[in-house]
Amino acid sequence: MQDVTIHRDFADLTWAAAALIVRLGAESLAERGVFRLALSGGSTPLPLYALLALPEWRARLDWARVQLYWADERCVPPDHAQSNYRMAYEALLLPLGVPMANIHRMQGELAPEMAAANYSAVLAAVRLDLILLGMGEDAHTASLFPETAALGETTRPCVANYVPKLEAWRLTLSAPYINTTRHKVFLVNGANKAAALKAVLQGAPDPQRYPAQLISAARWLVDAEAAAGLEQA
Ligand code: 6PG
């Protein structure tokens, strides 16, 4: 079952996401002494990262005990403008002073297959507590794009995925690995995502075309614009 919450606007969605992260983080720390959080790139989580870094929010979670991972990465060096690591580091991890030992990034600067193998080794004995996912207008999530090879991955946690329409390689967690995560949370906003959201949540199963359908039992935090096409029960 997918769990969908519709927020009146993007600011409200961002605030709800921050509250959910600190709540699930505190629960993980209380139960297991560690909180393993995987981040996504894209534009949607940027205001969330900025919010979490504000003094009144940072005090709500013991970030020194949070271990950070990524859902996907572009095949670029860590100081590149398109690096998902760089975006999260600058907006969230640097302002919060998260120790470098807690930061487990994908090595976008290496040959894609090697970087994916390295990250699969990092994740071999790791179960993530929470993964933040976005969704594109084409219903991709992480770097699981429609009709690409990574959609068929059944065993490895992380794979290199060539995306023809971007003419680029990406590194991505596989759907089976993402599905082992304790809490899967999608953040989706904007009218441009409405058609994809309806297809993913209420359309016929077709994960080759709508890869976000591969993620089971997720929480979806969506704004009213993105939710405009949904039939509500
Ligand atoms: C990335 C992502 C990707 C993203 C979606 C949505 O590296 O680009 O992790 O899966 O979440 O493309 O992107 P926006 O938030 O920019 O719409």
Side-chain angles (χ1 to χ4, degrees):
M1 264 301 279
Q2 308 284 1
D3 175 2
V4 183
T5 311
I6 300 171
H7 297 274
R8 66 173 174 268
D9 56 27
F10 186 38
D12 194 53
L13 181 163
T14 297
W15 194 94
L20 184 60
I21 290 166
V22 300
R23 180 169 70 76
L24 295 175
E27 275 177 25
S28 285
L29 291 176
E31 287 166 21
R32 291 178 293 280
V34 62
F35 177 40
R36 295 194 170 92
L37 169 64
L39 305 172
S40 279
S43 57
T44 308
L46 200 49
L48 168 65
Y49 298 163
L51 184 64
L52 287 168
L54 293 177
E56 62 268 35
W57 278 92
R58 68 187 296 169
R60 298 196 201 178
L61 186 61
D62 182 1
W63 285 93
R65 290 195 291 154
V66 181
Q67 299 289 326
L68 279 309
Y69 301 85
W70 272 263
D72 72 327
E73 185 57 279
R74 292 93 189 272
C75 291
V76 296
D79 59 354
H80 193 281
Q82 287 181 21
S83 165
N84 286 345
Y85 160 76
R86 176 180 162 148
M87 187 275 259
Y89 182 74
E90 291 182 349
L92 182 68
L93 309 179
L94 182 63
L96 289 174
V98 174
M100 288 307 285
N102 295 17
I103 299 174
H104 312 279
R105 71 172 180 86
M106 294 180 177
Q107 296 165 295
E109 69 277 26
L110 300 184
E113 296 289 353
M114 179 175 289
N118 288 351
Y119 213 60
S120 287
V122 166
L123 294 174
V126 167
R127 182 180 180 194
L128 299 171
D129 295 302
L130 169 60
I131 187 165
L132 295 177
L133 294 164
M135 188 190 72
E137 288 177 42
D138 61 356
H140 80 264
T141 189
S143 282
L144 299 166
F145 283 82
E147 316 283 350
T148 57
L151 303 185
E153 181 61 32
T154 56
T155 51
R156 293 173 293 176
C158 180
V159 290
N161 195 27
Y162 185 72
V163 184
K165 73 175 173 189
L166 302 177
E167 296 183 352
W169 286 87
R170 292 283 187 96
L171 301 168
T172 186
L173 299 188
S174 65
Y177 183 77
I178 292 172
N179 282 332
T180 67
T181 304
R182 286 191 172 82
H183 302 281
K184 291 149 275 185
V185 176
F186 280 89
L187 309 180
V188 182
N189 77 295
N192 59 325
K193 308 259 178 92
L197 189 68
K198 182 170 174 57
V200 168
L201 293 177
Q202 297 179 341
D206 188 357
Q208 284 293 326
R209 192 164 169 206
Y210 306 115
Q213 289 182 336
L214 291 169
I215 310 308
S216 58
R219 281 177 217 222
W220 292 76
L221 307 189
V222 306
D223 76 350
E225 287 185 352
L230 296 181
E231 281 161 33
Q232 297 187 42

